[in-house]
Amino acid sequence: MKDAANPSVSSPGAEVTVNKNSFRLAFEVGAEERYLVAKDLEGLLDKVFSSLDSPPTIKVRTKKFASYYKKYLSLLKSGIDHPRINDLIGIRIICPFIEDLSVVENMVKGHFEVVEVERKGNDTFKEFGYESTHLLITIPPDIAERHRPAGCDLAEIQIRTILQDAWAEVEHELFYKADFNPFDAPMKRKLAAVNASLSLADIVFQEIRFYQKQLNNQLLKRRETFYQKIEDSTDALLFSGMPVQAPHEPEAVLADAEKGSIDDLLLGALKAHNENRFKDAITSYTRILELRPDEMICSLIYKHRGMANFAQSNYQDAISDFTCAIDLDAKSNRVYYYRGVVHSVLKEYQKAIDDFTSSLGINPYQAFCLFRRGQAYYHIGDYPQALADCEASLSMEPQNETVQKFRSLLHDKLKM
């Protein structure tokens, strides 16, 4: 069966002749349908990648006749009889980071029939070839049936990082479209250096991404344990009147990164913090402050050290750290909230109310902060204001059982 990917060609003896007009007519059959197939594939891939935190960028194109004809003649000249061109429909999946490439490739393989995988490296122009993974997929039957005659049953998917794609675009303009390519050795070295720089940048970006994930995971764990300490120190007092014991701390060992960069020290401090090695964490936080980073970093470190001191029940030290953090960054609603919690634990309820109010002044959409301020109002006997904060908190988080329980307690106090 003849189609746009394999039109007729006359090849008498060693001389190859091609009727360009016949080629164009065969190519144009199904051109519009190929575009519709490409758009359907783009929509399908969008759905496939929608579950990813950072979905890749998808670009689709259908091959133009001039490009198709040039490629066909080139393959004929190379000795391939009746060459079949399988990238009439091309799709680029452009990922932010190197680690995303394998994830995206596996997702494509899980949703499409893949008939060929090609990993391009330095095979195009030796020292300045780009890296890319090419997958040849079968067009899903429902899409193919919907848009007949498209003149092809396969599509090519190229998977690259942003920087790999940038290099491929430039390389395409410099070499593929050009009639004359540079052969001067210095020029070749410059091109090789640019490609190497882009490859190195991809690797560095991936390393930064990996570090960010480690840091974010440690921050999340640290925040969860801190909030649990808050609940243990405030809610238990509110509902049972029983004192809360500070959690047992295992014997301290040296923090993971006593020496090194600020990033290394912070990651080591957070790991120690999350493992309840609070003394080690405090030591590492202090070491970072001794390096005198800029004010925003200092504010962040004071906040973390204050949280570690709070976990140790070193309440005055925690207040001092949170105050230093506020002095350096007065717009941090969380630090006002944290200091307010410590004041609440120390039964300094008016100071706690002032801090909670400052926090809500920066960000009024904090259900937990309204609840804590309501607790403080309760302890000074201002039940109407406590109920107002409680209701405001529930309007944001109506399913919060602890706040519901607090509202019942207030209703009893107010005989409602």
Side-chain angles (χ1 to χ4, degrees):
M1 177 179 177
K2 296 177 181 178
D3 57 28
N6 193 23
S8 61
V9 58
S10 175
S11 178
E15 183 180 345
V16 176
T17 61
V18 176
N19 186 317
K20 188 173 182 179
N21 289 332
S22 297
F23 252 57
R24 187 185 297 276
L25 290 173
F27 180 85
E28 289 176 352
V29 172
E32 183 176 346
E33 285 75 13
R34 287 195 292 277
Y35 174 78
L36 295 175
V37 169
K39 297 305 291 183
D40 279 3
L41 290 172
E42 180 182 22
L44 182 54
L45 286 166
D46 274 331
K47 291 180 181 178
V48 169
F49 301 133
S50 62
S51 62
L52 297 176
D53 291 336
S54 299
T57 300
I58 301 171
K59 297 179 182 179
V60 298
R61 65 103 182 101
T62 54
K63 209 169 191 66
K64 304 297 184 184
F65 175 73
S67 175
Y68 166 79
Y69 186 66
K70 181 179 180 180
K71 184 172 183 177
Y72 195 92
L73 291 180
S74 176
L75 292 172
L76 281 177
K77 290 177 182 178
S78 70
I80 300 175
D81 291 330
H82 304 294
R84 182 178 179 86
I85 297 175
N86 292 318
D87 64 342
L88 291 177
I89 296 173
I91 302 167
R92 290 185 189 178
I93 303 176
I94 304 169
C95 305
F97 302 100
I98 293 173
E99 68 177 353
D100 301 322
L101 298 176
S102 60
V103 174
V104 165
E105 180 180 341
N106 288 332
M107 293 181 78
V108 171
K109 289 178 177 177
H111 288 82
F112 295 89
E113 180 187 351
V114 177
V115 299
E116 182 179 303
V117 178
E118 182 181 5
R119 305 196 187 279
K120 291 185 176 289
N122 294 331
D123 57 347
T124 52
F125 283 95
K126 294 183 179 179
E127 66 266 32
F128 23 92
Y130 69 90
E131 294 183 3
S132 181
T133 297
H134 293 199
L135 306 178
L136 203 60
I137 66 165
T138 300
I139 297 170
D142 58 327
I143 295 178
E145 187 64 32
R146 191 158 54 243
H147 302 298
R148 290 188 181 278
C152 62
D153 54 8
L154 300 174
E156 183 183 74
I157 294 178
Q158 301 176 355
I159 306 173
R160 305 168 178 161
T161 65
I162 294 170
L163 294 183
Q164 288 170 352
D165 187 63
W167 173 254
E169 290 280 7
V170 174
E171 182 193 49
H172 186 75
E173 292 294 327
L174 286 177
F175 297 109
Y176 186 76
K177 288 187 175 181
D179 293 326
F180 176 78
N181 294 323
F183 54 83
D184 180 65
M187 183 62 70
K188 286 187 174 183
R189 284 196 293 270
K190 289 178 182 178
L191 291 170
V194 171
N195 188 29
S197 296
L198 289 174
S199 298
L200 178 60
D202 250 341
I203 293 170
V204 172
F205 288 156
Q206 181 57 58
E207 289 175 350
I208 293 172
R209 182 64 165 175
F210 178 72
Y211 171 77
Q212 283 180 326
K213 286 186 174 181
Q214 281 189 304
L215 189 59
N216 288 337
N217 288 338
Q218 295 298 330
L219 285 169
L220 180 61
K221 291 179 183 178
R222 185 266 308 147
R223 190 173 296 136
E224 289 174 350
T225 56
F226 180 69
Y227 287 162
Q228 184 61 51
K229 168 72 173 178
I230 291 175
E231 291 176 8
D232 292 342
S233 301
T234 57
D235 297 348
L237 284 171
L238 179 68
F239 298 125
S240 68
M242 298 296 292
V244 180
Q245 269 192 322
H248 172 70
E249 180 191 357
E251 286 190 26
V253 295
L254 289 177
D256 293 336
E258 188 172 343
K259 296 181 180 180
S261 68
I262 290 177
D263 287 342
D264 292 335
L265 285 166
L266 178 56
L267 188 57
L270 290 171
K271 286 181 178 178
H273 200 149
N274 292 334
E275 293 168 3
N276 294 338
R277 295 187 284 113
F278 301 116
K279 291 180 181 178
D280 292 343
I282 291 169
T283 298
S284 291
Y285 292 138
T286 302
R287 173 64 182 138
I288 295 172
L289 291 170
E290 288 172 351
L291 295 176
R292 297 186 178 181
D294 64 48
E295 289 188 354
M296 292 304 296
I297 295 176
C298 282
S299 177
L300 177 71
I301 301 306
Y302 276 122
K303 179 177 72 172
H304 289 328
R305 194 173 73 175
M307 296 166 80
N309 274 314
F310 178 75
Q312 282 278 87
S313 300
N314 299 331
Y315 298 129
Q316 292 301 332
D317 288 339
I319 287 176
S320 177
D321 280 339
F322 291 143
T323 300
C324 288
I326 290 169
D327 289 342
L328 293 167
D329 180 15
K331 295 182 179 180
S332 177
N333 61 285
R334 285 189 179 274
V335 183
Y336 279 110
Y337 170 71
Y338 295 159
R339 191 173 69 176
V341 167
V342 183
H343 284 307
S344 290
V345 172
L346 294 174
K347 299 184 180 180
E348 297 170 346
Y349 296 118
Q350 188 55 57
K351 290 182 179 179
I353 290 169
D354 292 342
D355 277 338
F356 293 141
T357 301
S358 295
S359 180
L360 290 164
I362 300 169
N363 177 13
Y365 305 105
Q366 301 180 77
F368 51 86
C369 191
L370 285 163
F371 172 49
R372 301 300 173 197
R373 189 174 70 173
Q375 285 183 322
Y377 277 124
Y378 171 87
H379 286 298
I380 65 173
D382 190 345
Y383 303 135
Q385 187 59 56
L387 182 59
D389 278 348
C390 183
E391 295 290 1
S393 178
L394 282 172
S395 70
M396 296 181 197
E397 294 184 0
Q399 304 303 319
N400 190 310
E401 294 181 359
T402 302
V403 185
Q404 290 175 355
K405 186 177 179 182
F406 182 42
R407 181 172 61 181
S408 298
L409 178 62
L410 290 167
H411 283 173
D412 290 340
K413 289 290 185 181
L414 293 167
K415 306 299 183 184
M416 296 177 68

